[in-house]
Amino acid sequence: MSSASDPLAALGALPGVAESVDSVRKAVDRVYGHRVMRRRSPEIASEAALRAARGSAALSGADWALEEVRRRTDFGSEPQARTVGAALRLTAEAGQLLSIWRQSPLRVLARLHLVASGSTADGDVVGRPRLGDEPVDEPLVELELPDAQEVAGRLEGLSGLVVAGGSAPALVTAAVVHGELLALRPFASYNGLIARTAERIVLINSGLDPKAVCPAEVGHAEQGRAAYLAAFEGYVSGTPEGMAAWIAHCGRAVGLGARESTAVCEALQRGAA
């Protein structure tokens, strides 16, 4: 990332990013302005969380139908079930960590890994960034892993940017947090789920989506794994064009999540859900 005093704000000035930010704001405003949202926002948020977990799990290789996610109670029997269970736990936990995120993003990330891992993981590697040459199980991203020393330094830099705040739009900050965590894969497992949950936390915490009804995870899944990885390669490239493409992709994801919740509002208004 840039060494400028406010590198996130500099990303916000890239060509096309302002248009993405404006499009996201309009999409979010449409959901929040819906008459059903004004009366039944907890129901919309609950449904959005379920759909967010389903979408995030799908990107990590557990592409279950929504009704299967809604119906199941056993999430510890096999790998895909554990992935879905981890996604559900992370989505539920995100809202409990907002105040801590403002002060210590690294504590939140450690907590997210602990929550994702549940009771089945090796306790020696849970809740901390990987050390030395410890392996990483990440089914989505196959890029070369940064070494542990680089991971530690970049995590500190990311944490510093989050704590310092700045003038960057929420979408830009969320996209960078998501992209950086996916690039680093700092934990032994569940890095994709954690990166998308961190994006969720930023979008809620920033005030862009305070009621968590515009799940970007839904939009990432709807655009597909191939598009997700292609956009992510832009982030990893570090070029202005690549970074702008990743931010735009994340913006479309939020917009699609907003569209999904608008459809839920419409269904509730018709009495069909």
Side-chain angles (χ1 to χ4, degrees):
M1 288 183 290
S2 168
S3 60
S5 59
D6 192 353
L8 296 181
L11 292 177
L14 290 174
V17 171
E19 290 82 353
S20 295
V21 169
D22 185 57
S23 177
V24 165
R25 169 51 66 189
K26 289 176 179 176
V28 172
D29 285 348
R30 281 194 293 272
V31 179
Y32 278 81
H34 198 286
R35 64 176 66 185
V36 172
M37 264 294 295
R38 293 194 290 269
R39 302 193 308 270
R40 303 173 70 175
S41 61
E43 292 174 69
I44 307 302
S46 178
E47 184 65 20
L50 183 72
R51 296 179 185 220
R54 192 219 74 82
S56 192
L59 285 172
S60 287
D63 192 1
W64 289 13
L66 180 63
E67 291 311 312
E68 178 70 3
V69 178
R70 196 190 306 277
R71 180 188 67 82
R72 283 283 288 266
T73 57
D74 173 19
F75 295 103
S77 58
E78 46 86 18
Q80 285 199 10
R82 289 196 293 273
T83 296
V84 175
L88 287 165
R89 291 192 298 273
L90 286 170
T91 303
E93 186 75 7
Q96 310 303 313
L97 299 172
L98 300 179
S99 61
I100 303 173
W101 177 262
R102 299 185 189 104
Q103 302 166 8
S104 181
L106 299 185
R107 280 180 58 200
V108 169
L109 295 174
R111 173 64 183 170
L112 291 177
H113 188 238
L114 182 65
V115 168
S117 300
S119 59
T120 61
D122 183 346
D124 290 341
V125 300
V126 172
R128 64 158 174 80
R130 55 190 167 83
L131 304 173
D133 59 354
E134 289 176 343
V136 172
D137 177 15
E138 175 48 59
L140 182 62
V141 179
E142 298 179 351
L143 298 176
E144 183 177 354
L145 280 170
D147 64 35
Q149 184 175 359
E150 180 180 353
V151 168
R154 286 171 63 175
L155 282 177
E156 286 291 343
L158 183 65
S159 176
L161 288 175
V162 170
V163 171
S167 60
L171 172 64
V172 172
T173 303
V176 168
V177 167
H178 181 171
E180 190 72 353
L181 292 174
L182 201 58
L184 295 178
R185 285 149 288 160
F187 299 104
S189 55
Y190 298 115
N191 288 288
L193 296 179
I194 290 168
R196 291 184 289 276
T197 303
E199 178 186 48
R200 177 182 185 83
I201 289 172
V202 173
L203 294 171
I204 298 169
N205 207 23
S206 65
L208 177 63
D209 182 21
K211 295 183 179 180
V213 295
C214 302
E217 301 94 329
V218 168
H220 287 304
E222 185 172 335
Q223 293 179 87
R225 295 179 80 180
Y228 182 75
L229 290 174
F232 173 61
E233 287 177 3
Y235 178 85
V236 174
S237 76
T239 65
E241 296 81 8
M243 296 294 287
W246 171 247
I247 293 167
H249 181 89
C250 292
R252 287 191 294 274
V254 178
L256 289 167
R259 188 182 70 180
E260 183 93 349
S261 286
T262 300
V264 172
C265 288
E266 294 292 339
L268 287 171
Q269 185 167 275
R270 294 191 304 269

